[in-house]
Amino acid sequence: MAKEVINVDGEEKVVREDTAKSYRGIIWALISVGAFIIILTILFLGFGLGSLLNDDVKSPAEIEQKRQ
């Protein structure tokens, strides 16, 4: 069976190929979830807080009066 070397806590370990692929898959999944959370946070702060600080917010009644 094929062997591969992975780096765990700064220490190189020789493991089976399927174990190494699983380890890399877990690391990739954690990085992807972290990036997704960071992107969502940036979008929330950019659009969510931006709309809260916007003073041009009008009620539906004001918009309707302006249309007529």
Side-chain angles (χ1 to χ4, degrees), residues 7-9 11 15 32 39 41 43 52 65:
N7 191 352
V8 179
D9 296 330
E11 183 180 323
V15 296
S32 298
I39 291 169
T41 303
L43 289 174
L52 288 175
Q65 286 176 353

Side-chain angles (χ1 to χ4, degrees), residues 12-58:
E12 291 184 349
K13 294 189 177 192
V14 178
V15 296
R16 293 188 328 215
E17 182 181 11
D18 61 334
T19 304
K21 285 182 181 181
S22 175
Y23 179 78
R24 287 192 304 266
I26 295 295
I27 298 299
W28 179 251
L30 291 174
I31 291 171
S32 298
V33 168
F36 183 73
I37 290 172
I38 289 170
I39 291 169
L40 284 179
T41 303
I42 290 170
L43 289 174
F44 174 75
L45 292 176
F47 291 108
L49 294 179
S51 67
L52 288 175
L53 299 175
N54 189 2
D55 292 336
D56 292 338
V57 177
K58 297 178 182 174

